[in-house]
Amino acid sequence: MNSKQLTRAAVVAAIYAVLTWILPVISYGPIQFRFSEILTLLAFYNPIYIISITIGAAISNLMSPLGIIDIFVGTFHSFISLYFISKSKSLFIASLYPALFSFIIGFEIILMSTESLSFFLITSQIMLSEFIIVTIIGVPVFKALSKNSKFREVMLDEDNLNHIANS
């Protein structure tokens, strides 16, 4: 990883954390609308962002009301989702992984809650919010951004640009 890639990765990690912290009321808990999750689609275009966004998720989870467990479990959810996003051949399919793996967060919330909660209800709420943020909002945003030459030059790996054309 060269210094340009390292800088890009650090900036993305910081942006993820700040976007999560700006709206803590909707960023944590059983109903999450983390606008920072849109950034997970960067891993579709360049796998370097797997590490970057995983670190951003870990940093953002330092403020989680669920405590230290969210740093590990929430970050694991991000990592697993990002890994599968990076392996996907379709942007739309890639966008579904954060929702698909929402059961990890659902399990964490059930485990940490002092109240009696329904695993399926909590997981469904997380899945719906991930689907809205990443698929319904994120996919059109990234389809538009990927057509922008400056975005492609700054954010994407030249070796992966043919991956964009196939999405």
Side-chain angles (χ1 to χ4, degrees), residues 20 43 48 58-59 75 82 86-87 113 119 128 144-145 150 154 161:
T20 303
I48 195 171
I59 292 168
T75 302
L82 290 160
S86 75
K87 299 299 181 190
S113 180
F119 170 76
L128 180 61
L145 286 173
K150 191 64 177 172
V154 172
L161 289 180

Side-chain angles (χ1 to χ4, degrees), residues 3-77:
S3 61
K4 184 177 177 181
Q5 292 171 320
L6 184 60
T7 302
R8 235 185 281 152
V11 168
V12 168
I15 290 170
Y16 184 99
V18 169
L19 283 175
T20 303
W21 290 340
I22 286 174
L23 299 165
V25 174
I26 61 172
S27 293
Y28 303 101
I31 298 177
Q32 296 183 5
F33 282 97
R34 281 190 183 191
F35 290 100
S36 53
E37 282 291 293
I38 292 172
L39 295 173
T40 61
L41 293 177
L42 283 170
F44 175 76
Y45 299 104
N46 190 340
I48 195 171
Y49 295 114
I50 295 171
I51 296 167
S52 176
I53 296 168
T54 299
I55 291 169
I59 292 168
S60 69
N61 287 338
L62 289 169
M63 305 298 266
S64 172
L66 293 176
I68 196 157
I69 192 168
D70 203 23
I71 296 168
F72 298 103
V73 177
T75 302
F76 176 70
H77 166 265

Side-chain angles (χ1 to χ4, degrees), residues 57-145:
I59 292 168
S60 69
N61 287 338
L62 289 169
M63 305 298 266
S64 172
L66 293 176
I68 196 157
I69 192 168
D70 203 23
I71 296 168
F72 298 103
V73 177
T75 302
F76 176 70
H77 166 265
S78 294
F79 175 76
I80 252 351
S81 298
L82 290 160
Y83 174 79
F84 280 94
I85 287 169
S86 75
K87 299 299 181 190
S88 184
K89 300 294 182 204
S90 160
L91 181 60
F92 176 76
I93 298 298
S95 75
L96 298 175
Y97 288 115
L100 179 67
F101 291 113
S102 290
F103 70 89
I104 296 168
I105 304 298
F107 179 73
E108 174 191 16
I109 290 171
I110 294 299
L111 183 69
M112 297 306 297
S113 180
T114 57
E115 299 175 28
S116 177
L117 301 171
S118 165
F119 170 76
F120 294 106
L121 178 61
I122 296 299
T123 300
S124 296
Q125 290 172 329
I126 300 291
M127 283 181 153
L128 180 61
S129 63
E130 289 280 7
F131 180 75
I132 290 168
I133 293 294
V134 182
T135 304
I136 294 186
I137 298 172
V139 168
V141 166
F142 271 91
K143 281 200 177 264
L145 286 173

